């Protein structure tokens, strides 16, 4: 399994809801075994730059690649990219525990 985590900071705080709603649509892409979007609670004493976090889980790299080719993903990029200041992502393998 692949865990895909993306952190976003936005240029304007008033755009958080727009970006969040666009990213939430990605949960409808069938390649994701699990998908969620959340707002950073900003309770860390040292770092609060991140506004939104995306967490998705995929069977393998091929499923993640198909996810990124889906029309909803492309639509989200079109909406979110101009609103964001930073985007950090990480993908790592893990074993799914039943």
């Amino acid at each position: 399994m692949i865990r895909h985590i993306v952190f976003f900071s936005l240029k304007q705080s008033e755009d958080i809801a727009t970006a969040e709603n666009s990213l939430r649509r990605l949960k409808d892409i069938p390649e994701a075994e699990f998908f969620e979007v959340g707002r950073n609670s900003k309770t860390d004493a040292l770092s609060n730059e991140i506004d939104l976090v995306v967490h998705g889980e995929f069977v393998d790299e091929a499923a993640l690649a198909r996810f990124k080719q889906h029309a909803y993903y492309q639509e989200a990029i079109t909406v979110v990219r101009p609103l964001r200041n930073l985007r950090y992502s990480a993908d790592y393998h893990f074993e799914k525990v039943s």
Side-chain angles (χ1 to χ4, degrees), residues 64-96:
L64 178 56
R66 287 190 306 275
F67 175 85
K68 290 180 178 183
Q69 293 303 313
H70 195 280
Y72 291 168
Y73 187 89
Q74 300 307 314
E75 290 170 13
I77 288 172
T78 301
V79 172
V80 176
R81 185 175 281 161
L83 304 178
R84 69 177 164 87
N85 186 37
L86 297 171
R87 178 192 180 273
Y88 296 107
S89 70
D91 300 318
Y92 64 93
H93 293 268
F94 73 100
E95 287 190 38
K96 189 171 185 173

Side-chain angles (χ1 to χ4, degrees), residues 11 16 19 23 25 34-35 37 40 48 50-53 61 66 72-73 78-79 90 97:
K11 295 174 188 175
I16 292 174
L23 293 167
R25 187 158 186 221
F34 174 85
F35 189 86
V37 176
N40 184 8
N48 286 313
I50 302 303
D51 294 307
L52 296 170
V53 179
E61 289 92 351
R66 287 190 306 275
Y72 291 168
Y73 187 89
T78 301
V79 172
V97 179

